[in-house]
Amino acid sequence: MNLSALSTLVAILDRGSFVAAAREVGCTPSAVSLQARQLEAWFGRPLFDRSARSVKPTPFALEAASVARDIAARLEALRLRPATAISGRVRLGAIATVQSGLLPPALRTLRDRHPGLDVEIVLEDSDRLLLELKAGRLDAAVLVRPSAGGSSRLAWRDLQKQPFVLLAPPGTSGESPADLLRRFDLIQYDPALTGGRMAALHARKLCPEARRAMEIRSIDAIVAMVSAGLGVSIVPRPRTALLAAHGVREVALGKTGPVRRIAFVQRRNDLGNRNLDAVFRAFGRP
C-alpha cells in the first residue's frame, strides 16, 4: 500500500466513478480498479459494493478516505512550509501555441515567486516532447494530451480545453462549416501534429471532397492565409486578439466539433517533486 493508492481512493469517492477518478489522477480506469483491489487486499475488507450496476463505496471506504484526506492535508502542509526554498533547474517542454497563451504569465509567476528556480524552455511538437520526457531529457511538458488519455507511465494534469473552430475569410457569412469547406480550398493544420490530425479527421467528416490547398504548422500563419482569402481552415480556437487583427471570421463547429486538452505532464515517479509542483501551480492551478 502506498500514498498514491489512498489518493486514488479519495479521487474515486470525490468524482463518483472509476472512470472520472482515472482522469483526475492521470491513469487508466483499469489501473484505478487495480489500485482499489490492492487496497481492499491490504485492508482485508471490501471498499466497494460491486453487486449493483454502479460501484458504491462501503462505510469503511468512507472512513478510510476521511483518514487519507487528513494525512494528505498534513503532509501537504509540511511540504509547503516556507523554510525550504524552491530552487534548481527544470527542463520544461512546450508546444508552439502555448508560447503566446499559457506560457508567458506562468514564467512571470515563477520568476516572481521562485527567483532561485531556473526554467529552461524546449519548444517542440507534442509527439516529440513525449519522447523527450520518457527518455529523461525533459522534466515536464505542456502539450496536447492524446485523445486516448495518454500513457499511464506519466502523470497528466489538464490545464485547458480548446475547442476547434473553422476560420473563414473576412466578409463571409451565413454558411455552415460544410458549405464553407465546399466553397473554399482547405488550408490544413499540419496533420503531423496531434491537433492537426484531429482537425483533418473532422474536415473529412464534414466534407470528404474538401480541396486541400496547403499544409501549415503555425496557427498564426494559417490565420494570415485565411485573412488573405486563400481558403478556410479548422484549427484550435486562436487568440481573440489575433482573429481581430486579421478580421478573420470564426465559425463554431457545434457539439460534435473536436476539443483538445492542453495538459501538464511529468513522469509518474516524479510526483511530489516540489520544483515541478511549483511550475504546475504557476499555470494557475491549485
Side-chain angles (χ1 to χ4, degrees):
M1 195 277 291
N2 54 42
L3 290 176
S4 64
L6 290 175
S7 298
T8 299
L9 173 62
V10 171
I12 296 170
L13 269 61
D14 287 346
R15 299 301 176 184
S17 73
F18 284 16
V19 173
R23 290 194 293 266
E24 175 73 14
V25 301
C27 64
T28 63
S30 60
V32 168
S33 179
L34 176 62
Q35 288 188 59
R37 292 191 181 278
Q38 289 172 339
L39 276 177
E40 289 176 324
W42 190 81
F43 282 120
R45 63 186 75 189
L47 295 173
F48 299 95
D49 178 5
R50 297 177 173 85
S51 62
R53 291 185 63 184
S54 60
V55 177
K56 295 183 179 180
T58 64
F60 182 79
L62 299 175
E63 183 180 356
S66 177
V67 174
R69 289 189 183 95
D70 182 61
I71 293 172
R74 290 171 179 266
L75 290 175
E76 183 71 3
L78 286 173
R79 191 177 68 86
L80 294 178
R81 279 184 180 175
T84 304
I86 290 176
S87 61
R89 178 169 170 262
V90 170
R91 296 161 298 177
L92 179 66
I95 57 173
T97 51
V98 170
Q99 296 177 57
S100 53
L102 293 171
L103 189 58
L107 292 179
R108 174 63 182 266
T109 297
L110 283 170
R111 188 187 68 179
D112 294 344
R113 290 180 184 172
H114 310 294
L117 185 63
D118 177 27
V119 181
E120 176 188 343
I121 303 298
V122 177
L123 300 175
E124 265 292 356
D125 63 69
S126 294
D127 292 341
R128 183 64 185 177
L129 290 176
L130 280 177
L131 291 175
E132 295 292 295
L133 181 61
K134 291 176 181 177
R137 290 185 286 270
L138 290 176
D139 299 306
V142 179
L143 44 70
V144 179
R145 186 169 184 170
S147 56
S151 169
S152 59
R153 292 170 49 198
L154 304 174
W156 300 82
R157 292 184 276 185
D158 289 347
L159 296 174
Q160 186 182 71
K161 290 184 178 180
Q162 292 184 335
F164 283 65
V165 297
L166 184 138
L167 303 181
T172 58
S173 62
E175 295 179 83
S176 70
D179 290 337
L180 288 166
L181 283 167
R182 280 189 283 268
R183 177 181 169 191
F184 291 94
D185 288 340
L186 174 63
I187 301 171
Q188 191 160 22
Y189 188 28
D190 189 351
L193 305 175
T194 303
R197 291 191 289 272
M198 296 171 69
L201 183 64
H202 196 69
R204 287 196 297 271
K205 178 180 176 182
L206 288 175
C207 182
E209 68 274 18
R211 305 179 304 276
R212 285 179 294 173
M214 61 188 85
E215 294 178 358
I216 299 180
R217 183 167 280 246
S218 164
I219 291 180
D220 286 26
I222 289 175
V223 171
M225 295 291 183
V226 173
S227 177
L230 296 175
V232 296
S233 187
I234 294 177
V235 294
R237 178 184 288 157
R239 307 182 311 278
T240 301
L242 178 65
L243 295 179
H246 287 272
V248 169
R249 178 188 171 205
E250 175 188 314
V251 181
L253 296 174
K255 294 181 180 180
T256 61
V259 176
R260 74 174 185 177
R261 290 182 289 171
I262 304 299
F264 182 92
V265 59
Q266 64 190 92
R267 288 178 294 276
R268 185 164 292 280
N269 290 341
D270 289 336
L271 282 174
N273 180 292
R274 288 171 55 82
N275 287 354
L276 296 183
D277 285 350
V279 174
F280 175 67
R281 289 195 298 272
F283 284 94
R285 312 303 293 182

